[in-house]
Amino acid sequence: MSARQMKLGLFLWATGHHIAAWRHPDAHVTAGIDIDHYIALAQTAEAAKFDMVFCEDAAGLREANVNIASQTSRSIGFEPISLLSALAAQTERIGLVSTASTSYNEPYGLARMFASLDNLSGGRAGWNLVTSASPIEAANFGATGLRPHADRYARAREFATVIIGLWNRRAAGHDGESFSVRDPLDIPPSPQGAPVMVQAGASDDGKDLAARTADVVFSAAQTFEDAKAFYDDLKGRLAAYGRQPDDVKIMPGVAPIVAATKAEAQAKYDALQELIPDDVGVALLSSYLSISDLGRYPIDGQLPELPESEGMKSRQALVIEQARRDGLSIRELARYFAGARGHWRVVGTAEQIADELQARFEGGAADGFNVMPSWFPGELDAFATLVVPELQRRGLFRRDYEGRTLREHLGLKRPI
Amino acid sequence: MGSTMHLAISLNIAATDGQDVLDFGQISAFVRKTEAAGVDMVIISDSADKPSSSPFEATTLLAALATVTDKIGLVAGASTLAHQPYNLARRFASLDIISHGRIGWNATTAQNPREAANFSRPEGFSDDDFRRRAREFIDIVRLLWIGWEHDALLFDKASGRFHDPDKMHPADFTGEFFSVRGPLNVARSPQDVPVLVMSGLAGTELDFASRRADVVLLDKLEPSGARATCDEIKRRAHEAGRDPVTIKVLAMADAGPEHDGRGLEDLCLSSGCDGIVLTVQPRAAALEALVERLLPDLKRHGFAKAKPGKTLRDRLGLSEDSKP
């Protein structure tokens, strides 16, 4: 058999994944109102033979604190289904995946949107199912509060069942707890049969739903061990649903910073970190540690003694210990968290980054990666021109597309 | 008189009789030809009240068309039953940004029982509830569209201020059917408010449309009937405090062989309408006949002469007064 190759997604987000991306001197600061910018990004990713571009989404602002929000670029952007439909007309091969919520849509309506995107693109669409946990979103849909976790997942399971049935032309007619649908879908299937199903939930409910319905799973893992544990856990759940390990592709996020030398890459990273406004960093750190506002303490001093809090996880407690041992100030610790956003950051040369990706790919911790450039377009360009060729030289990534649809790129079966 | 006779095309891409549907290449080639011929806007709908099939949904199709055209207005039909106001407001604001201000929303005002049955509303709404809900929906969408002031985005890398938080306003809407806090997470779009097109109106909706709509499409009527309805709409708009020139009334007509440029010019002039909307069947031959035969003839009779402004609002001559 030909050697297994990794899958690559380009994760599009605002001006870049670093919280201060928009302040970088060369970052395209008007990204959120410039369609030509997004067309150029998608075309860059397509020229580099990426499997897909991926849009995260929320039906509301990201940050409730208006002062913090106004120091980031994440309060405005394109609605992703219209963005990807525009990109469909300006690309030929690359997959187009968008997030959409099961809490704030109806399955028949969302089935139509993605089926239409799938036809516009000749079979390149995918849907990332999210259940939406944010109270900011809930307030835009007449809800007074969040649904309990289990309820949201019950609705999501029913939603997934209905939409898969509609896309796959199963007998119409559904009358369930949350939804009723009478007719078959009025949009015919695309060349890939049905849009690719993507999920990213890391909870037990989320992983079970993914094992039952997803074609691709996005994840976040800092260490090889975490990535491997998630990979084995999810693949281990597939047999219960009559599926093979290869039926689901697991693609953890990676935030690379690449340059010709390690020192140069580190300098690029440090310069970005310098751009994080202190109050933004401290607010994000407070939120990450699930503790009330750290802003009351001197920013160049060390963390105060903190009471054990409900929301604090053991990993966060370890980080606090580490910070104490290393004598990090609140400012330094805040920048560390704000920059990484919980994802795996790799800083180095193309060879070093390829080594890291190869180790996780060949070590059974990933089928590919969702690439999260720190800022656009520069860090995407750097990854496309430095890291992708290195992966190709090693035979780890395609030199050209073989298929035309997203399912073909990913090596997925057609839905039955 | 000298006022412009506007020309729009209405294309429902849904096939109800099992015939072949149009592919994207056919639709985009057609829209580009109508753009070249000076047509003001194309209005696309994607469903029917009987079983039908279409490869595309109208708003997604519009996004793709926006990238292959640069002057023509693009309008999509979208129903208040099949969407949530927050989601639909985002969609159209995005489309308006993608198209650099050429977008309109044809808001459905009649309840389609097929939609109710497929959108978890098997019992549907009473006609009266549906109308009140649709009005509330439209008002929320318009409110969300203007949540960000024109100069809210600062992009100030040096100071670290991306936007001015005092120029971002929540909608804080609580009504009979919806409550929506806002603001939208999409920037103010080039037209501020995408063009609101309403059609299929009767009775009380006519009054609402006279207050809110930018464009009203009149069902196929004899010139005398069209004249009376057009006058009525303009009169009610005036009573609602609007300058009647900021609401455009277009008379619908089939693009079939029974019509020629002279006849349609007569219809437009004798009805007092601001222009006409040609409805065309989604078949390659019908599209070709429209482009080859009827559009050149209409041009000879004074249609399709509007100056292509920067936005669809400019092009239709909709002034500041028509904004909320």
Side-chain angles (χ1 to χ4, degrees):
Chain A
M1 99 182 202
S2 66
R4 171 176 167 258
Q5 291 190 318
M6 63 175 67
K7 313 300 172 192
L8 290 180
L10 168 62
F11 189 164
L12 295 172
W13 203 22
T15 48
H17 287 268
H18 192 280
I19 188 75
W22 71 275
R23 299 186 67 195
H24 188 283
D26 298 324
H28 192 71
V29 70
T30 59
I33 52 171
D34 184 357
I35 186 63
D36 292 336
H37 168 73
Y38 278 99
I39 292 171
L41 295 183
Q43 290 176 347
T44 298
E46 185 168 69
K49 317 301 176 192
F50 274 64
D51 292 82
M52 61 179 117
V53 298
F54 164 63
C55 293
E56 176 54 294
D57 189 45
L61 298 182
R62 298 276 181 179
E63 169 62 58
N65 179 322
V66 294
N67 177 50
I68 299 298
S70 73
Q71 298 179 73
T72 79
S73 64
R74 292 173 181 169
S75 295
I76 57 113
F78 290 93
E79 181 279 322
I81 295 175
S82 42
L83 174 62
L84 292 182
S85 302
L87 297 182
Q90 297 295 322
T91 54
E92 302 275 330
R93 305 293 276 272
I94 195 163
L96 304 164
V97 179
S98 173
T99 301
S101 169
T102 54
S103 294
Y104 308 123
N105 284 288
E106 283 283 322
Y108 199 86
L110 208 63
R112 296 191 88 232
M113 296 302 158
F114 279 98
S116 179
L117 176 62
D118 212 18
N119 280 323
L120 283 169
S121 62
R124 297 184 282 133
W127 169 43
N128 177 39
L129 178 161
V130 295
T131 63
S132 299
S134 155
I136 304 177
E137 292 177 85
N140 292 328
F141 295 88
T144 50
L146 267 183
R147 293 155 188 271
H149 188 77
D151 282 7
R152 281 193 285 122
Y153 268 94
R155 181 178 160 110
R157 276 191 292 274
E158 187 183 338
F159 198 116
T161 302
V162 175
I163 206 169
I164 290 169
L166 286 166
W167 282 338
N168 292 293
R169 272 62 212 166
R170 297 212 189 96
H174 171 88
D175 188 5
E177 192 71 26
S178 298
F179 307 110
S180 65
V181 174
R182 189 188 67 192
D183 300 316
L185 192 63
D186 54 359
I187 297 188
S190 83
Q192 70 170 348
V196 169
M197 292 279 287
V198 181
Q199 274 176 59
S203 67
D204 244 17
D205 282 337
K207 283 189 281 200
D208 271 328
L209 182 57
R212 189 160 71 86
T213 60
D215 299 305
V216 173
V217 172
F218 293 150
S219 60
Q222 294 275 9
T223 65
F224 178 87
E225 289 69 30
D226 283 354
K228 172 88 180 143
F230 180 88
Y231 188 94
D232 290 341
D233 178 358
L234 198 92
K235 297 260 176 173
R237 293 175 193 242
L238 295 174
Y241 300 99
R243 305 180 74 193
Q244 304 296 316
D246 216 30
D247 290 351
V248 176
K249 308 297 175 189
I250 298 179
M251 299 174 66
V254 59
I257 304 231
V258 59
T261 66
K262 168 91 182 169
E264 216 180 300
Q266 186 64 42
K268 278 167 66 173
Y269 179 57
D270 292 344
L272 265 177
Q273 293 289 86
E274 283 295 317
L275 295 174
I276 302 172
D278 287 334
D279 53 350
V280 172
V282 172
L284 291 175
L285 177 62
S286 301
S287 144
Y288 183 84
L289 295 179
S290 308
I291 52 179
S292 58
D293 188 17
L294 278 170
R296 293 173 288 142
Y297 302 97
I299 193 159
D300 287 314
Q302 295 199 8
L303 275 182
E305 287 302 320
L306 298 167
E308 289 271 332
S309 89
E310 264 308 290
M312 196 186 296
K313 297 180 194 136
S314 58
R315 185 144 35 99
Q316 293 155 349
L318 285 177
V319 170
I320 292 173
E321 267 175 46
Q322 178 78 35
R324 290 239 167 73
R325 273 204 304 278
D326 296 350
L328 292 182
S329 66
I330 291 179
R331 188 201 314 267
E332 286 165 329
L333 192 60
R335 283 187 179 164
Y336 175 80
F337 279 114
R341 207 166 66 78
H343 276 277
W344 180 37
R345 179 172 296 288
V346 194
V347 180
T349 64
E351 291 74 20
Q352 287 166 338
I353 288 172
D355 286 348
E356 297 270 2
L357 298 180
Q358 184 168 7
R360 292 201 183 187
F361 175 65
E362 292 181 344
D367 296 312
F369 301 94
N370 206 15
V371 179
M372 306 164 59
S374 294
W375 58 273
F376 292 114
E379 287 296 327
L380 169 62
D381 293 340
F383 189 90
T385 56
L386 298 172
V387 181
V388 168
E390 180 59 29
L391 295 171
Q392 289 168 333
R393 263 193 295 281
R394 299 182 187 192
L396 292 168
F397 188 60
R398 68 170 70 83
R399 286 179 184 276
D400 202 357
Y401 294 109
E402 287 166 12
R404 299 210 75 88
T405 69
L406 179 54
R407 279 185 191 279
E408 287 167 354
H409 300 338
L410 293 171
L412 294 168
K413 292 173 187 155
R414 278 176 65 94
I416 303 145
Chain B
M1 205 169 100
S3 69
T4 309
M5 292 194 294
H6 289 289
L7 178 58
I9 290 171
S10 172
L11 173 63
N12 187 337
I13 57 175
T16 54
D17 46 12
Q19 290 218 13
D20 282 351
V21 290
L22 299 169
D23 64 27
F24 181 68
Q26 291 172 305
I27 296 171
S28 63
F30 169 71
V31 172
R32 287 159 69 154
K33 283 177 192 161
T34 63
E35 177 176 57
V39 171
D40 292 298
M41 61 183 174
V42 173
I43 302 163
I44 292 178
S45 47
D46 62 26
S47 59
D49 52 12
K50 47 187 171 177
S52 66
S53 173
S54 148
F56 312 113
E57 176 279 334
T59 62
T60 43
L61 176 60
L62 229 54
L65 289 172
T67 71
V68 297
T69 55
D70 57 14
K71 292 192 288 291
I72 194 165
L74 299 167
V75 180
S79 111
T80 53
L81 214 159
H83 299 272
Q84 282 283 327
Y86 194 87
N87 293 339
L88 200 70
R90 288 182 77 200
R91 175 76 42 80
F92 277 99
S94 261
L95 290 171
D96 205 38
I97 296 172
I98 290 169
S99 67
H100 303 286
R102 295 185 286 126
I103 293 298
W105 169 31
N106 186 9
T108 313
T109 48
Q111 182 169 204
N112 179 340
R114 288 181 59 78
E115 276 183 353
N118 292 323
F119 284 81
S120 308
R121 293 276 186 184
E123 70 290 0
F125 293 95
S126 73
D127 286 348
D128 196 46
D129 281 357
F130 185 84
R131 268 195 296 275
R132 288 203 317 285
R133 186 176 171 282
R135 288 179 203 172
E136 194 174 304
F137 190 116
I138 290 169
D139 283 342
I140 294 167
V141 167
R142 289 162 61 91
L143 206 53
L144 287 167
W145 279 337
I146 56 168
W148 291 80
E149 292 183 35
H150 294 106
D151 53 354
L153 300 181
L154 304 172
F155 303 126
D156 188 346
K157 290 183 180 186
S159 77
R161 200 56 79 176
F162 186 83
H163 66 259
D164 181 346
D166 294 334
K167 294 185 174 175
M168 178 190 85
H169 307 287
D172 277 331
F173 185 98
T174 305
E176 184 184 355
F177 298 92
F178 301 101
S179 83
V180 179
R181 184 185 295 161
L184 219 54
N185 55 359
V186 178
R188 183 85 161 215
S189 82
Q191 294 189 101
D192 295 330
V193 176
V195 171
L196 179 63
V197 179
M198 296 182 76
S199 53
L201 303 166
T204 51
E205 295 108 309
L206 207 59
D207 201 55
F208 180 74
S210 303
R211 292 167 191 277
R212 290 284 187 272
D214 298 303
V215 177
V216 174
L217 311 182
L218 296 187
D219 283 338
K220 287 149 199 158
L221 293 170
E222 291 304 308
S224 59
R227 164 125 241 154
T229 313
C230 181
D231 288 348
E232 177 71 10
I233 290 167
K234 300 265 180 178
R235 185 182 61 75
R236 293 193 196 193
H238 179 70
E239 281 172 9
R242 295 177 67 179
D243 179 345
V245 305
T246 66
I247 184 164
K248 302 298 175 188
V249 182
L250 307 182
M252 300 182 89
D254 275 321
E258 71 276 22
H259 283 122
D260 62 9
R262 175 174 302 281
L264 291 167
E265 183 186 12
D266 285 347
L267 168 67
C268 189
L269 294 176
S270 61
S271 68
C273 285
D274 298 292
I276 57 168
V277 188
L278 297 171
T279 56
V280 61
Q281 295 302 309
R283 320 226 190 292
L287 301 186
E288 193 183 327
L290 174 56
V291 169
E292 300 295 327
R293 181 190 72 87
L294 195 50
L295 289 185
D297 197 28
L298 284 164
K299 193 130 195 168
R300 282 191 289 275
H301 286 88
F303 286 95
K305 296 279 173 66
K307 283 196 212 87
K310 250 179 100 57
T311 67
L312 178 56
R313 263 179 202 283
D314 292 343
R315 182 173 189 133
L316 294 174
L318 298 164
S319 81
E320 291 296 317
D321 306 39
S322 59
K323 291 172 191 171

